[in-house]
Amino acid sequence: TYQLQTMHHMEATMKLGGATALLKVQCTKVFEYCARESAQIFGGLSYTRGGQGEKVERLNREVRAMAVPGGSEEVMLDLGIRQSKKITEMAQAIIGANPQLQARL
């Protein structure tokens, strides 16, 4: 949030867009893993809408619903990789054009 508030809109889009997409994919995968493993631990109770397995059943029901609004994982991964590649190419172009930076590295 701090970076988003202090950066210019275009700079934030270039620097944070891809990283945020990759972070969302990672969070989604971890949430799905946790929901699946909690269902394994609770066994048959994880299918009941009441009692001890209520929260696990709800997590399993909502895990995909929470992942979908940001976009599919494939699209988010593609965005993250493309943004990272673009930033790397821009940095290489800047370093290649400046001999003083090349000498430092």
Side-chain angles (χ1 to χ4, degrees), residues 38-39 41-60:
S38 64
I41 291 169
F42 273 78
L45 286 174
S46 66
Y47 292 103
T48 60
R49 287 194 177 213
Q52 292 178 337
E54 179 180 6
K55 287 186 176 31
V56 176
E57 187 273 333
R58 185 172 176 198
L59 286 175
N60 277 318

Side-chain angles (χ1 to χ4, degrees), residues 24 43 48 52 66-67 69 73 75 80 94 102:
K24 177 157 179 34
T48 60
Q52 292 178 337
M66 291 183 182
E73 288 180 3
V75 172
I94 291 170
Q102 286 179 349

Side-chain angles (χ1 to χ4, degrees), residues 24 27 38 40 42 44 49-50 60-61 76-77 81 85 87 92 94 97 99-101 104-105:
K24 177 157 179 34
C27 290
S38 64
Q40 287 292 320
F42 273 78
R49 287 194 177 213
N60 277 318
R61 195 168 13 107
M76 301 295 265
L77 285 170
I81 298 301
K85 184 179 174 187
I87 290 173
Q92 287 175 343
I94 291 170
Q100 293 174 348
L101 286 176
R104 286 185 178 175
L105 297 175

